[in-house]
Amino acid sequence: MIDVKEKEILIVGGGSVGLRKSKKLLKEGAYVKVLSKDIHPDFEELKKRYPEKLSLIKKEYKESYLNGAYLVFAATSEIRINEKIRMDCSLKKILCNNTSNQRNSDFYNQAYMTKDDLTISVSTNGGSPGAAKKILEYLESSLDNDLLIKLKEHSKIRKYIIENYKEGKTRKMHLNTLLNTEMEKLKIFRDKLMSEEIDNEY
């Protein structure tokens, strides 16, 4: 998981794969450049939604277009060109995702979902992105809203411990206790913790 906000991302390939990746990257706040002689028509609508973030370059690939890129996606329909982009990126020390050969990539996307304070990601290490998506859908459908509420409570208690217990040994002890406390008993632990803090102050 990489924070791409305000980062410049180059996607070489203006087809459906490039379009799908562009939508996700733009949603995360990246600056996206799409380089391709042929651009999927839906990119024009995407350009209207992200006029300052999306650049469409209707030209053939040249190594010079890699300059300044934080990440690169080689997403053309030609394996040979994708491999060349991957090699050019390697020489320039730029991380590259080769969409036609995930195992010959510096990184690959994970299927993920975010709900409240919880993010779940699933990866098959590039072997089967479709299967990863199916597994993620299953996990998402199994999520219990009660669990999400308890997770928020867990986060609040952890923040309270960090802010109120400055001594390392005591803080570590409380954090370990929190980690091993069953979700159903969080409220009891919180009340006990806060009463101990009051006792310590007086």
Side-chain angles (χ1 to χ4, degrees):
M1 299 178 72
I2 301 174
D3 182 4
V4 295
K5 187 175 182 180
E6 304 296 319
K7 304 292 195 308
E8 186 173 302
I9 313 296
L10 175 66
I11 299 176
V12 186
S16 58
V17 175
L19 178 64
R20 187 169 65 251
K21 294 191 180 298
S22 294
K23 287 178 179 179
K24 290 182 179 180
L25 291 163
L26 289 165
K27 187 177 178 181
E28 296 297 327
Y31 288 98
V32 178
K33 287 184 178 179
V34 178
L35 173 65
S36 178
K37 284 187 69 176
D38 300 310
I39 301 286
H40 193 290
D42 287 356
F43 270 109
E44 295 300 333
E45 184 61 33
L46 199 60
K47 177 68 175 174
K48 292 176 183 177
R49 287 168 53 194
Y50 299 95
E52 304 298 324
K53 295 280 190 178
L54 177 61
S55 300
L56 303 176
I57 307 170
K58 297 183 179 181
K59 293 184 179 181
E60 290 184 349
Y61 168 75
K62 289 183 181 179
E63 184 184 339
S64 58
Y65 284 110
L66 299 176
N67 296 334
Y70 182 74
L71 296 174
V72 173
F73 289 85
T76 77
S77 58
E78 297 186 40
I79 294 175
R80 178 182 57 83
I81 294 178
N82 287 345
E83 291 291 347
K84 176 172 174 26
I85 296 167
R86 167 76 174 84
M87 291 176 64
D88 290 345
C89 285
S90 180
L91 292 173
K92 289 178 174 287
K93 308 297 183 185
I94 300 172
L95 296 179
C96 178
N97 175 268
N98 182 348
T99 61
S100 58
N101 187 348
Q102 294 289 342
R103 296 194 181 279
N104 188 27
S105 298
D106 297 310
F107 69 96
Y108 37 81
N109 293 53
Q110 295 181 331
Y112 76 95
M113 57 78 59
T114 299
K115 195 167 185 179
D116 294 340
D117 293 333
L118 179 67
T119 297
I120 298 175
S121 62
V122 178
S123 173
T124 55
N125 296 326
S128 180
K133 185 178 179 182
K134 288 288 185 183
I135 294 169
L136 185 66
E137 288 172 353
Y138 170 75
L139 292 172
E140 186 173 7
S141 66
S142 303
L143 272 181
D144 185 347
N145 283 333
D146 190 47
L147 176 64
L148 295 174
I149 293 170
K150 288 184 174 74
L151 179 61
K152 281 189 175 182
E153 183 66 26
H154 192 283
S155 298
K156 288 178 182 177
I157 296 171
R158 182 179 181 275
K159 182 179 179 183
Y160 179 86
I161 292 171
I162 291 173
E163 290 178 349
N164 291 277
Y165 290 89
K166 305 302 181 184
E167 198 274 312
K169 189 174 180 180
T170 304
R171 176 192 287 188
K172 185 176 180 180
M173 179 189 70
H174 286 312
L175 288 174
N176 284 336
T177 303
L178 173 63
L179 190 61
N180 292 299
T181 298
E182 295 178 14
M183 288 292 191
E184 291 73 16
K185 297 180 180 178
L186 284 176
K187 188 176 184 301
I188 297 172
F189 175 68
R190 181 199 64 194
D191 293 343
K192 180 182 178 183
L193 185 70
M194 294 185 73
S195 65
E196 284 181 355
E197 180 65 16
I198 293 171
D199 290 340
N200 289 339
E201 288 180 355
Y202 299 94

